[in-house]
């Protein structure tokens, strides 16, 4: 493929920074646009001397244009339950105004466009596993709605720019992804368990731990997203790992991999916590020839050093 000039909103975040790495290693030039609301400079520090990489500190709710680009990956948005509950209004703004600005840029330059949507669009689903044809079961005014509805709106805006303006859009519905560079305090299951395990604290399981999640290792996720970007399908396409684990099984896997002697403690289930979430990835398999390769324990082992270091830095 010819080298392109690619813009990544949210490029200093967890997934955005891994995406930048992947695009750079494929020979493209990358402009990351990020206001560092939930992202960190340290995620892209290793790219400081890379001439094909630049980071622009900018809030994408304000219009932006850093010159002609061939592709826009729109990843900016608080993503973890902790972040989007603290930054509820900012989440709605970036999902609406930020999405419009990213779409406008793609329209202006005739660039391709991919949005990182989410399994949260399915809400607390009544269908298992979730296929892309399922419309979801979302509480529009509950505590998670700032994120769920912002993403559903982003999908609607993306579909409309394809329909009305012929922008070459793609929608990826990302399911829980984990790996190095996740924020240690973001309240998501794996960083939480890792932090508690490394500190010798009890691992907190909400409810009876029988609610299930699927976890995709970050390199698998990025591979699926990039394949979708270069495909001609508008999506939505689920990109996630269909192997389902109960939260309790996940806690036990973290204890095993870290060798921690921590115990498991049960707490009441928060409001609107989905009981089960698992992608049906038939579409991704058929369309992109993609499926995840890395199992949970291997992915946890590959993340171990990062989390160990991140927990040590918290203490110091
Ligand atoms: N990590 C997951 O498991 C997961 C699952 C589903 C969907 N997603 C989606 O993937 C994308 C990236 O998620 P992540 O886990 O890397 O989260 P993250 O918080 O690490 O990254 C998001 C980035 O967007 C930036 N940002 C937020 N608002 C901005 C604004 N107004 N202007 C410029 N930059 C802004 C943040 O500073 C951060 O660097 C998000 O859109 C999220 O909804 C992630």
């Amino acid at each position: 493929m010819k080298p392109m000039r690619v813009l990544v909103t949210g490029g200093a975040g967890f997934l955005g920074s891994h995406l930048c790495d992947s695009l750079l290693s494929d020979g493209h030039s990358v402009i990351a646009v990020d206001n560092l609301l939930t992202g960190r400079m340290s995620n892209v520090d290793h790219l400081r001397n890379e001439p094909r990489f630049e980071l622009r500190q900018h809030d994408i709710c304000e219009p932006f244009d850093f010159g002609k680009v061939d592709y826009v990956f729109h990843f900016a948005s608080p993503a973890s339950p902790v972040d989007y509950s603290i930054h509820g209004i900012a989440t709605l703004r970036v999902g609406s105004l930020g999405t419009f600005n990213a779409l406008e840029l793609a329209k202006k330059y005739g660039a391709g466009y991919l949005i990182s949507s989410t399994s949260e669009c399915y809400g607390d689903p009544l269908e298992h596993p979730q296929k892309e044809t399922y419309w979801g079961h979302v509480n529009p005014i509950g505590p998670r709605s700032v994120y769920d509805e912002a993403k559903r709106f982003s999908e609607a805006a993306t579909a409309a720019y394809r329909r009305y303006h012929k922008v070459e859009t793609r929608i990826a519905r990302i399911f829980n992804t984990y790996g190095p560079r996740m924020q240690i305090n973001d309240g998501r299951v794996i960083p939480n368990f890792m932090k508690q395990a490394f500190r010798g604290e009890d691992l907190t399981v909400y409810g009876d731990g029988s609610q299930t999640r699927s976890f995709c290792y970050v390199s698998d996720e990025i591979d699926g997203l990039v394949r979708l970007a270069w495909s001609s399908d508008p999506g939505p396409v689920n990109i996630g790992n269909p192997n389902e684990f109960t939260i309790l099984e996940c806690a036990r896997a973290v204890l095993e991999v870290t060798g921690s002697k921590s115990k498991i403690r049960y707490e009441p289930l928060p409001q609107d916590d989905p009981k089960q979430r698992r992608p049906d990835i038939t579409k991704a398999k058929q369309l992109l020839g993609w499926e995840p390769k890395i199992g949970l324990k291997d992915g946890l082992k590959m993340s171990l050093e990062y989390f160990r270091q991140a927990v040590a830095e918290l203490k110091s």
Side-chain angles (χ1 to χ4, degrees):
M1 180 187 297
K2 211 169 96 241
M4 292 196 250
R5 189 161 188 260
V6 179
L7 186 141
V8 179
T9 75
F14 162 50
L15 290 182
S17 65
H18 283 284
L19 174 65
C20 291
D21 288 344
S22 164
L23 293 167
L24 288 164
S25 77
D26 288 342
H28 305 297
S29 300
V30 177
I31 313 162
V33 185
D34 202 299
N35 67 351
L36 302 178
L37 179 68
T38 56
R40 285 169 298 162
M41 286 298 280
S42 58
N43 288 341
V44 289
D45 246 5
H46 60 289
L47 300 174
R48 197 183 317 178
N49 297 321
E50 169 55 66
R52 287 178 292 118
F53 178 78
E54 58 182 299
L55 174 69
R56 299 286 188 137
Q57 236 173 289
H58 178 79
D59 179 349
I60 65 152
C61 297
E62 303 298 327
F64 57 96
D65 184 350
F66 302 111
K68 184 176 180 341
V69 289
D70 305 299
Y71 210 99
V72 176
F73 285 86
H74 177 31
F75 275 51
S77 169
S80 72
V82 165
D83 283 339
Y84 65 69
S85 46
I86 295 170
H87 304 294
I89 305 293
T91 304
L92 286 164
R93 282 174 61 82
V94 75
S96 51
L97 300 172
T99 298
F100 273 126
N101 288 331
L103 282 164
E104 276 298 314
L105 194 76
K107 178 179 157 226
K108 176 173 179 183
Y109 291 119
Y113 173 96
L114 180 141
I115 178 150
S116 58
S117 186
T118 170
S119 55
E120 301 277 343
C121 286
Y122 301 120
D124 190 357
L126 304 175
E127 249 184 38
H128 298 287
Q130 291 84 50
K131 285 196 180 72
E132 292 84 350
T133 45
Y134 178 51
W135 289 354
H137 179 231
V138 176
N139 175 353
I141 56 166
R144 303 175 81 102
S145 64
V146 288
Y147 183 63
D148 301 2
E149 295 295 15
K151 287 292 180 179
R152 287 166 69 95
F153 177 84
S154 307
E155 288 200 8
T158 299
Y161 267 65
R162 171 173 277 267
R163 196 173 295 128
Y164 294 104
H165 296 310
K166 313 290 174 233
V167 177
E168 283 288 316
T169 59
R170 282 119 194 123
I171 298 171
R173 291 201 183 129
I174 301 174
F175 283 65
N176 277 341
T177 303
Y178 70 100
R181 300 186 199 154
M182 280 186 101
Q183 294 177 64
I184 194 76
N185 276 331
D186 77 359
R188 287 191 264 205
V189 177
I190 289 179
N192 238 11
F193 285 165
M194 283 282 191
K195 183 172 69 180
Q196 292 168 326
F198 279 126
R199 287 176 154 182
E201 295 168 359
D202 291 349
L203 270 59
T204 333
V205 164
Y206 296 98
D208 62 2
S210 64
Q211 68 275 39
T212 60
R213 294 289 185 274
S214 59
F215 302 101
C216 189
Y217 188 67
V218 64
S219 58
D220 277 335
E221 184 67 45
I222 298 294
D223 178 35
L225 294 171
V226 168
R227 284 179 194 230
L228 175 60
W230 309 143
S231 83
S232 54
D233 196 276
V237 179
N238 291 336
I239 308 282
N241 194 320
N243 289 333
E244 207 170 11
F245 292 87
T246 67
I247 296 286
L248 205 53
E249 285 170 328
C250 178
R252 290 189 179 129
V254 169
L255 289 178
E256 185 188 322
V257 166
T258 55
S260 167
K261 299 276 175 291
S262 295
K263 305 263 178 306
I264 292 172
R265 192 179 75 233
Y266 296 88
E267 299 255 329
L269 208 57
Q271 193 188 347
D272 289 348
D273 192 53
K275 283 175 270 310
Q276 195 185 22
R277 195 78 84 33
R278 180 165 88 95
D280 180 321
I281 60 162
T282 311
K283 194 170 172 185
K285 275 188 188 164
Q286 287 171 351
L287 199 74
L288 314 173
W290 175 85
E291 63 184 313
K293 298 186 181 68
I294 297 168
L296 181 63
K297 277 192 194 151
D298 286 336
L300 290 175
K301 284 181 196 153
M302 287 154 82
S303 313
L304 209 58
E305 260 330 294
Y306 166 76
F307 282 116
R308 194 195 304 277
Q309 185 69 35
V311 172
E313 279 167 18
L314 274 185
K315 281 184 191 155
S316 57

